Amino acid sequence: MKILFAAAEALPFIKVGGLGDVASALPKALAEKGHDVRVVLPLYSSIKPEMREKCHYLKYFYFMHGWRNSYCGIFEAEIDGVTYYLIDNEYYFKRRAPYGEYDDGERFAYFSRAVLEILPQVDFFPDIIHANDWHTAAVPVYLDAQYRGREGYEYIKTVFSIHNIEFQGKYGMETLESVFALPSDWAPVVEHDGCMNLMKGAIERANAVTTVSETYASEILDPYFSFGLDSILRPRQFKLSGIINGIDMKTFDPASDPAIPVHYSLKTRKDKVKNKLALQKELGLREDKDVPMIGMVGRLTSQKGIDLLYPIMEELMKKDVQLVILGTGYPEIEDFFRFCDAAYHDKVRAMITFSASMAQKIYAGADLFLMPSKSEPCGLAQMISMRYGTIPVVHAVGGLKDTVIPYNPEAGTGTGVNFQSYNAWDMYNAIERALDIWYDPVSRDKIMVNAMSGDYSWKKSAEKYIRLYQSV
């Protein structure tokens, strides 16, 4: 099959969140199975120079987007068997960051149309266009509204993936024609609750809709998780499915990870503790292999369940544990962890930044990995932590429920610890249960073996996507 993957971010060029990982790993896994896979993304000015150098200029052209005659440059790169097209338009993409601009709606309306306009320019008409999240949600809409009558576009099918339903691309209906250049008779397709909703339009028009775990696919039919789209999704369950993400098993491999000081594998798992000692030394914490370290890596937002730490922090700090946090997010949450770092400086380190290398050191050095997310479409960090033999402690929602199997001490099965209700003291109880496992050498070794033996690759998921593509 010929597959075009449209996304607002993709490694190794640019990453903001989990979409950047998926838009890299899934196309690569599909290409390895013999499919012609290409990825299209914006040529942001924030892409690092060494990656821009890998791109060579193909051509430029202009296309009409409503009343605008828009410039579109095309750059191309080939990495790991996947062809990447990067859309060049400095007016839209020469910005301080990929997202968060006042005109994001206009920027990604342009990009979504460019995804379709470049097809004859690069002589590639795919069988499937796989659009992702609200940034490319207009692609299935534009295709059906304005391109079906053009040669080459007649039989293209579309798949739309929801990576996070909270962000839907909402704009005033007055932007329908002026910004999004859609005819007025298409207003019912994209209108929801009185406003433009790009994700709603994609759910309406795509041939198939996916999300990134089976549990999340059922959760978003519930108003608690759907952010208002449950009424749109429930009648369309026939085309909704969940496929769990994977991780790049070569990149996230404790046996070869260049970021960690001491390599180890399933056979040499006893060497994992050396990474904890090295991390303790680097962070100025007490160097003691018998002190359990709890790690957290990710966005510091309420959706990630950080507020559950507020009421239990004092009680947690009475225990002989260390807590290491890495991430950025809401200012009030950042300030909370800065306070904890100052108040419990012998036990807590809060690094309010993001560093890929430090994240890897935490995955390898921590004993427990805490993910109390209020909702979690898939989550990658819990799979990475298990790959590194670190016990995940998670709220049993979305992909966390699908990937972390609760440890059963009698049967010796399971890979982590979970808690069912979104409650601070239920989370605290889960941490205590995880500590009990860690303090028992037999249970600790068994859960580490179980976790490190898991297959978190894209192989099974890629097969499911191929079957989905074939079905549409």
Side-chain angles (χ1 to χ4, degrees):
M1 283 183 293
K2 296 188 293 183
I3 303 156
L4 182 65
F5 206 85
E9 57 181 272
L11 285 173
F13 295 97
I14 193 81
K15 175 186 172 179
V16 177
L19 173 58
D21 293 296
V22 176
S24 168
L26 176 54
K28 180 181 175 182
L30 295 170
E32 288 173 351
K33 294 181 179 295
H35 300 282
D36 185 353
V37 187
R38 309 191 189 187
V39 178
V40 56
L41 70 155
L43 183 65
Y44 300 109
S45 57
S46 51
I47 293 175
K48 293 181 179 179
E50 59 267 29
M51 291 311 303
R52 291 178 73 96
E53 290 175 3
K54 294 181 182 293
C55 306
H56 68 270
Y57 170 76
L58 276 185
K59 65 194 313 184
Y60 79 90
F61 67 105
Y62 285 82
F63 65 84
M64 294 303 297
H65 178 57
W67 54 268
R68 308 163 191 79
N69 190 24
S70 299
Y71 170 87
C72 182
I74 308 174
F75 284 75
E76 183 183 47
E78 185 169 332
I79 299 173
D80 294 329
V82 177
T83 299
Y84 291 82
Y85 298 118
L86 293 96
I87 303 301
D88 175 37
N89 183 305
E90 291 194 350
Y91 176 75
Y92 289 124
F93 303 132
K94 191 176 182 180
R95 306 293 180 93
R96 59 178 179 81
Y99 315 146
E101 299 292 317
Y102 74 96
D103 59 345
D104 274 359
E106 182 179 342
R107 295 170 67 219
F108 288 104
Y110 161 85
F111 176 63
S112 294
R113 193 175 291 278
V115 169
L116 297 167
E117 289 284 347
I118 69 168
L119 302 185
Q121 301 292 331
V122 298
D123 192 24
F124 182 73
F125 287 95
D127 301 303
I128 300 285
I129 296 179
H130 189 154
N132 294 269
D133 268 350
W134 77 264
H135 319 92
T136 54
V139 172
V141 179
Y142 285 145
L143 177 62
D144 284 357
Q146 296 166 326
Y147 288 81
R148 285 296 183 193
R150 300 188 190 182
E151 185 178 356
Y153 293 86
E154 304 95 329
Y155 305 112
I156 296 173
K157 303 298 184 181
T158 53
V159 173
F160 177 67
S161 284
I162 301 170
H163 297 264
N164 191 335
I165 203 168
E166 181 177 356
F167 305 103
Q168 300 172 5
K170 295 181 180 180
Y171 298 94
M173 284 305 296
E174 70 276 5
T175 64
L176 176 73
E177 296 180 72
S178 60
V179 174
F180 292 95
L182 280 168
S184 59
D185 57 344
W186 275 74
V189 174
V190 293
E191 188 275 333
H192 184 59
D193 286 345
C195 70
M196 279 274 298
N197 188 308
L198 297 175
M199 187 172 285
K200 185 260 187 181
I203 293 168
E204 287 257 21
R205 302 310 304 183
N207 297 105
V209 179
T210 75
T211 190
V212 287
S213 69
E214 291 182 11
T215 294
Y216 194 62
S218 62
E219 286 175 345
I220 59 177
L221 302 175
D222 187 311
Y224 182 81
F225 290 100
S226 73
F227 290 89
L229 284 179
D230 53 289
S231 62
I232 304 300
L233 286 163
R234 280 198 300 272
R236 296 165 179 81
Q237 292 182 57
F238 67 92
K239 63 176 177 180
L240 174 65
S241 61
I243 301 175
I244 196 75
N245 288 337
I247 61 173
D248 188 327
M249 299 282 278
K250 292 181 180 178
T251 298
F252 299 109
D253 184 357
S256 58
D257 188 341
I260 67 175
V262 180
H263 292 149
Y264 61 99
S265 65
L266 181 61
K267 291 183 178 179
T268 60
R269 57 190 178 276
K270 290 182 180 179
D271 287 339
K272 173 177 163 60
V273 71
K274 296 177 183 178
N275 288 286
K276 177 167 74 172
L277 293 169
L279 186 57
Q280 288 171 331
K281 183 176 182 178
E282 181 175 349
L283 300 180
L285 292 168
R286 186 170 96 242
E287 296 174 46
D288 187 341
K289 66 181 179 63
D290 296 321
V291 176
M293 178 185 286
I294 303 170
M296 297 183 72
V297 175
R299 291 182 293 116
L300 305 182
T301 65
S302 55
Q303 183 249 326
K304 294 297 183 181
I306 306 300
D307 54 310
L308 295 186
L309 282 164
Y310 295 174
I312 63 102
M313 182 60 75
E314 185 176 353
E315 198 66 26
L316 182 63
M317 289 297 99
K318 291 178 183 178
K319 295 182 175 292
D320 189 18
V321 298
Q322 295 172 345
L323 178 63
V324 177
I325 303 106
L326 175 69
T328 61
Y330 295 167
E332 62 272 21
I333 296 177
E334 293 181 352
D335 289 343
F336 168 72
F337 282 124
R338 289 190 184 100
F339 168 80
C340 292
D341 190 310
Y344 308 105
H345 197 63
D346 58 329
K347 293 185 173 185
V348 177
R349 287 295 178 274
M351 291 162 281
I352 310 303
T353 182
F354 187 77
S355 163
S357 61
M358 178 54 70
Q360 300 305 97
K361 292 176 183 178
I362 294 172
Y363 290 129
D367 300 296
L368 312 182
F369 193 87
L370 183 61
M371 288 186 72
S373 303
K374 188 174 185 178
S375 66
E376 192 64 67
C378 176
L380 301 177
Q382 82 279 10
M383 289 186 274
I384 299 170
S385 71
M386 291 187 288
R387 173 81 164 136
Y388 283 69
T390 301
I391 304 170
V393 180
V394 305
H395 181 209
V397 292
L400 301 178
K401 182 178 180 180
D402 290 346
T403 55
V404 178
I405 303 167
Y407 183 69
N408 182 330
E410 294 184 2
T413 58
T415 58
V417 176
N418 67 23
F419 58 100
Q420 297 296 322
S421 61
Y422 189 70
N423 177 280
W425 294 103
D426 280 355
M427 180 186 73
Y428 183 77
N429 175 264
I431 294 171
E432 287 193 312
R433 285 184 280 127
L435 289 171
D436 288 342
I437 294 170
W438 187 82
Y439 280 120
D440 176 12
V442 175
S443 292
R444 183 202 309 177
D445 189 64
K446 184 59 180 173
I447 197 171
M448 185 182 294
V449 169
N450 294 346
M452 295 184 73
S453 301
D455 181 3
Y456 312 108
S457 73
W458 274 98
K459 292 177 183 177
K460 291 180 182 178
S461 299
E463 288 288 353
K464 290 181 179 179
Y465 275 109
I466 290 168
R467 289 196 293 272
L468 176 69
Y469 296 153
Q470 290 169 339
S471 74
V472 300

